[in-house]
Amino acid sequence: MCELLGMSANVPTDICFSFSGLIQRGGNTGPHRDGWGITFYEGKGFRTFKDPKPSSQSKIAELVQNYPIKSCAVVSHIRQANRGQVNLENTHPFTRELWGRYWTFAHNGQLSDYQELETGRFRPVGETDSELSFCWLLHQLESKFPEPPQDMVAMFRYVAQCCESLKKLGVYNMMLSDGEYVMTFCTNHLYWITRRAPFGKASLLDEDITINFQEETTPNDVVSVIATQPLTGNETWHRMKPGEYNLFHFGEMIESNVDALVDVKFAEVKPKSQAPTESL
Amino acid sequence: MCELLGMSANVPTDICFSFSGLIQRGGNTGPHRDGWGITFYEGKGFRTFKDPKPSSQSKIAELVQNYPIKSCAVVSHIRQANRGQVNLENTHPFTRELWGRYWTFAHNGQLSDYQELETGRFRPVGETDSELSFCWLLHQLESKFPEPPQDMVAMFRYVAQCCESLKKLGVYNMMLSDGEYVMTFCTNHLYWITRRAPFGKASLLDEDITINFQEETTPNDVVSVIATQPLTGNETWHRMKPGEYNLFHFGEMIESNVDALVDVKFAEVKPKSQAPTESL
């Protein structure tokens, strides 16, 4: 399995704090040693940092952790390989162009009998079920919307329907972004949190780092973070249900296919033995 | 205008030395302040480092300069904007997938009346003539070779023909790679050099750095470097002619559309005032 991390924000925001927690799980507090990647959108452009090395030992991850790149949409992934070798072409996220936009995708899970999925002109380069399913999704989208769709929300709903079909082939937790929207689909492990004023402090579960968001933000900032497991121990993360689809737009969750969202009991989260910091 | 840097090698080789010279021209010894990028292939996979900031002031360029990433095919670019704003989506190189391979492209020059070029399903994301011409090239290729071509050399010859047409629209110095081949097309400024045993020392023109390749290589290494302007002062770089097309494959130039290649007179290159190191 792997771990996913995503962010949607209404103002360009850096993800250094959350990323610092995530990369510890890449070979240190977690077993996800088989590479990592992170894609930052800036306007319509993006940049991706990738390494097939464990994130906890990666010089490039160190740069990303210490060099604040501000973005409104981020997709990140640390890998524990199941399908496909450990190499760069199999390292998430994957980015392709459709309708004159760059689409970035990352997946956590494993599919069976995926080889039959028809990907049309979007050919996978690596051997992962993840990249192949992404190519299949893009092929489905281009077939249904030969021209850029006007109603993006309807388009994402269609992606969610496609994910529902993929779910029948196995575990399919995914994130998809075009730099403006961040979409998630969950089959088992995915949590989200939206931070807004009044901001407080938060402490990472995987490293002794506490941040006071009040010092880092303005009262109008709205930032949502999505992760395979909660990254902080003193905040309430919402657990996504199996089959749940969510769409984030500049920080706000603008729709979801379920009404009631299950809250994470603090007990469900395993904080480090350190004394918890002031709770929000 | 901009500057291009490319490398083709028969064993994974780092480009730190040449890149160190190039990035000085990004706002320091040269006027190319409008961003930079570099793509390293590793097998079928690739990673790109990009920054809209001047390379001479970029933290990410500093990492690339000091962290040796070994690759058999590299394409790099520093930008002085003429078409399109200074932002990430307009920063070269550009990478797209075709035939299940990633294709990476960078361009130096300027085109007129390029808006009419038909790009089919390869839609540009940014506003540059460069990205649009790349999309047009891919569209031409996919139209001529709907399936992956068996004869890659013939395919690159076709790219060269397309470049010949683009040359009619302006200045079109370009580099194209799929990680195995590095192709170049020249309309005015492009130089190349192939280094092989016996290796000697080389000194950068843009920075006081001298390297002894003998200490960095094995006798079987073959490495070709292509650049808009020679990067070293004590080696003989070959100047490409207008309309010249060259194809490099794992370090060796395997074909060219001209027989006689013009050598650069040492005088044409402006070495720094420093004493030249031992010549090869």
Side-chain angles (χ1 to χ4, degrees), chain B residues 126-142:
Chain B
E127 303 88 41
T128 63
D129 50 356
S130 308
E131 186 193 9
L132 191 130
S133 73
F134 178 39
C135 292
W136 178 79
L137 282 173
L138 292 171
H139 179 52
Q140 297 301 311
L141 284 172
E142 194 177 45

Side-chain angles (χ1 to χ4, degrees), chain A residues 9-33:
Chain A
N10 67 340
V11 292
T13 305
D14 79 67
I15 196 171
C16 294
F17 173 72
S18 301
F19 186 71
S20 299
L22 184 75
I23 63 174
Q24 291 306 314
R25 302 178 183 181
N28 192 353
T29 60
H32 315 285
R33 304 184 52 80

Side-chain angles (χ1 to χ4, degrees), chain B residues 16 47 142 164 230 258:
Chain B
C16 295
R47 42 185 158 180
E142 194 177 45
E164 192 56 45
V258 291

